[in-house]
Amino acid sequence: MPTARRVLTRFVAPAAAALLATLAATPAASAAPAVTAAEICDNICVDGVRAATHEGYDRVVFDLGTGALPQVGVTESTSPAYGMPSGETKNLAITGSSYLFAYFHPARSGDYTDTNPVVKPFALPTVKGVQFLYEQHSQPAFGITLDGPVSRYNVFTLTAPNRVVIDIYR
């Protein structure tokens, strides 16, 4: 038994202590944020879209990367049809009773479709969904499906972080 105790004291105990020290250090190292490749766009990138309801209006927010804010054009329609750059006519995937089409220039969709669904449904009083349509000549296009007519909408940009906001009033 004394030999076993010596082996334990001399070899196993230091190895166990080293293993415990390594295990104790692992959580601190894994707590650091993961390093991801930075998205590179020659113009500002559209990184994502989200929406929420507020009293009297729904808000659609397009999250942007770094760079100069784009100009934003928005058109209203009672039809889900939109024209592709090829000349083909398509319809938005989510149907409603009215629609807004938003165009950002100059901007890029970057990895938008890799990190976001092309069609993103929302169950809000007015906003039913947002769909990425296409990007041509640094001008990404999005369709917003609405339930009910648009009484009015307001488009503006914000910084820190960069974003385009569209408030749609009921």
Side-chain angles (χ1 to χ4, degrees), residues 80-126:
Y82 62 93
M84 294 291 291
S86 65
E88 179 184 10
T89 300
K90 291 189 172 188
N91 287 324
L92 293 174
I94 299 174
T95 58
S97 57
S98 61
Y99 307 88
L100 293 177
F101 293 94
Y103 308 91
F104 303 161
H105 183 76
R108 298 302 301 253
S109 58
D111 62 3
Y112 179 88
T113 55
D114 294 338
T115 57
N116 295 273
V118 173
V119 177
K120 191 166 188 175
F122 293 104
L124 303 178
T126 303

